[in-house]
Amino acid sequence: MAFSPDFKFDVDFKNFDSKKIKRIVIIAAIAVLLLILVSTCWFTVNDKQQAVITTFGKVTGTADAGIHFKLPFGIQKVDLVDINIYQKIELGYRTDGSDAGNYMTIENESKMISGDFNIVNVDFFIEYKISNAAKYLYASQDAGMILKNLAQSQIRNVIGSKYVDDILTTGKSQIQAEVKELITEELTKYDIGIVLTDIKIQDAEPPTEQVKAAFKNVETAKQVGETAKNDAEAYKNAQIPNAEAKADQLLQNAEFLKLDRINQAKAQVAMFNAMYEEYTSNEEITKARMYFEAIEAVLPGVKLIIDTGSDTQKLLPLDTFLATTAGETANGGTVTE
């Protein structure tokens, strides 16, 4: 529907009832007030937040996740605080949040002096959570900045007590533990509603390329030495069982030889005792037997000629003679024709 440029509204306001106008205004005002009342009487808290409720500026309570009601018209106010998420502080560097992982160095935060008066650049990553929403909001002006300044102070104290070799190589874990302990103690004293969850050395390096290369060479040499040490330990562990087995075998052989010598000695003693008993009972026969056995040992293969005192003589092998009866030998008689 189009209107002509010359069209004019001609309304006769005199015909409107003033009472009706007042009624409409009152109804509209009541509707606005009700809308404001409804909109200011409730609030929503998600599962990662906690609400801090203040009444006339004073903290009167907190609320967890869900829908809650409060007094309208600014009598009660609500501040939502993220308490169930981890927040971070970057010391010595800043990331841009992109997938490429780009970052820039902040030298006035990372440059420090070690205990042996060397300059090092150390970057730290700090992670914390809000433990008390009300204290986080009202116990300090900026709890996150307080934590950052406190961390810088304690980090410099610890770095200033360490040698540069430890900072750049093997002492990082100890440094992290000491810094975390010191910061936790100070946060307990300050009681600003935050708790430190983790702190890590993101990077540690000397300020110049020449020093970096030297420390890399040192680290490489340490790794090579550690590898050689591990190889030697593995070789030792492999050789010990073999050496123990050989030692056990030698001990067993020695024990066997010991028992064998003992048995031989006992056998010789028994033989000597038997010979002695035989000697005591038959001295002449035993002497003759020992004599012929001695000849056999000294002159193996000797032929024995026995003279019977007659014209007849006989050549006998010694072993044949020994096989004869002892009585015939002792009497000097002829053994065989």
Side-chain angles (χ1 to χ4, degrees):
M1 178 179 181
F3 294 95
S4 171
D6 298 331
F7 177 80
K8 295 181 179 180
F9 286 100
D10 188 9
V11 181
D12 186 6
F13 289 99
K14 295 180 180 180
N15 294 327
F16 279 94
D17 188 354
S18 60
K19 292 182 178 180
K20 290 182 179 180
I21 294 174
K22 291 181 180 179
R23 189 180 299 115
I24 292 172
V25 172
I26 293 172
I27 293 173
I30 293 173
V32 171
L33 290 175
L34 288 175
L35 182 61
I36 294 174
L37 179 64
V38 171
S39 64
T40 58
C41 281
W42 63 276
F43 61 94
T44 303
V45 183
N46 64 36
D47 58 350
K48 294 182 180 180
Q49 297 175 329
Q50 187 178 61
V52 179
I53 304 169
T54 57
T55 305
F56 295 115
K58 181 180 180 181
V59 177
T60 55
T62 59
D64 295 325
I67 299 175
H68 305 275
F69 295 92
K70 64 183 180 65
L71 297 178
F73 306 114
I75 297 174
Q76 286 187 327
K77 292 183 179 180
V78 175
D79 293 307
L80 299 178
V81 181
D82 296 326
I83 63 170
N84 291 326
I85 62 173
Y86 291 96
Q87 303 187 49
K88 67 177 182 178
I89 297 176
E90 296 169 339
L91 285 180
Y93 71 104
R94 298 292 186 274
T95 57
D96 57 5
S98 64
D99 295 335
N102 298 324
Y103 71 96
M104 60 182 295
T105 301
I106 311 297
E107 287 193 357
N108 63 343
E109 294 179 357
S110 64
K111 188 171 291 186
M112 307 178 194
I113 299 178
S114 65
D116 50 359
F117 304 103
N118 285 287
I119 297 176
V120 291
N121 291 332
V122 188
D123 300 336
F124 278 84
F125 175 81
I126 301 173
E127 192 175 65
Y128 70 96
K129 286 178 64 176
I130 298 172
S131 59
N132 188 304
K135 291 181 180 180
Y136 175 77
L137 290 176
Y138 301 110
S140 63
Q141 185 174 2
D142 189 344
M145 183 58 66
I146 292 176
L147 174 59
K148 181 178 178 180
N149 294 334
L150 178 62
Q152 285 183 301
S153 174
Q154 299 303 329
I155 287 170
R156 292 183 184 276
N157 287 338
V158 174
I159 293 296
S161 65
K162 303 295 181 183
Y163 289 109
V164 66
D165 288 346
D166 297 331
I167 298 171
L168 299 178
T169 55
T170 59
K172 295 180 180 179
S173 298
Q174 184 178 359
I175 292 172
Q176 292 170 176
E178 291 182 12
V179 171
K180 184 176 181 181
E181 183 179 357
L182 292 173
I183 294 175
T184 301
E185 290 178 359
E186 293 300 318
L187 286 176
T188 303
K189 295 178 183 178
Y190 292 165
D191 195 19
I192 55 177
I194 59 177
V195 58
L196 180 67
T197 58
D198 195 15
I199 182 167
K200 292 181 179 178
I201 295 178
Q202 195 73 2
D203 191 17
E205 59 184 11
T208 62
E209 294 298 328
Q210 293 82 358
V211 179
K212 288 182 185 179
F215 274 104
K216 286 183 179 179
N217 293 334
V218 172
E219 186 65 20
T220 300
K222 288 183 179 180
Q223 292 178 357
V224 172
E226 191 68 22
T227 300
K229 179 181 177 181
N230 294 335
D231 292 342
E233 190 70 19
Y235 178 78
K236 182 189 80 171
N237 294 334
Q239 293 300 318
I240 285 177
N242 295 333
E244 290 178 348
K246 290 181 179 179
D248 185 65
Q249 183 178 3
L250 290 174
L251 289 175
Q252 291 180 358
N253 290 338
E255 188 67 21
F256 170 77
L257 293 175
K258 168 188 169 184
L259 295 176
D260 184 62
R261 290 290 179 87
I262 291 174
N263 292 333
Q264 289 181 7
K266 290 181 178 179
Q268 291 177 358
V269 170
M271 182 181 296
F272 177 82
N273 291 333
M275 291 176 63
Y276 180 75
E277 291 179 359
E278 186 69 20
Y279 176 79
T280 54
S281 59
N282 300 287
E283 293 184 6
E284 296 299 329
I285 296 175
T286 303
K287 286 181 180 179
R289 178 181 175 182
M290 293 174 64
Y291 172 76
F292 293 127
E293 287 178 352
I295 292 177
E296 182 184 25
V298 175
L299 302 172
V302 69
K303 299 296 183 178
L304 181 64
I305 299 175
I306 300 176
D307 187 2
T308 59
S310 62
D311 295 334
T312 303
Q313 292 182 345
K314 189 68 175 179
L315 184 64
L316 297 175
L318 185 59
D319 55 351
T320 304
F321 173 78
L322 293 175
T324 59
T325 60
E328 292 173 339
T329 305
N331 295 327
T334 301
V335 177
T336 179
E337 293 295 338

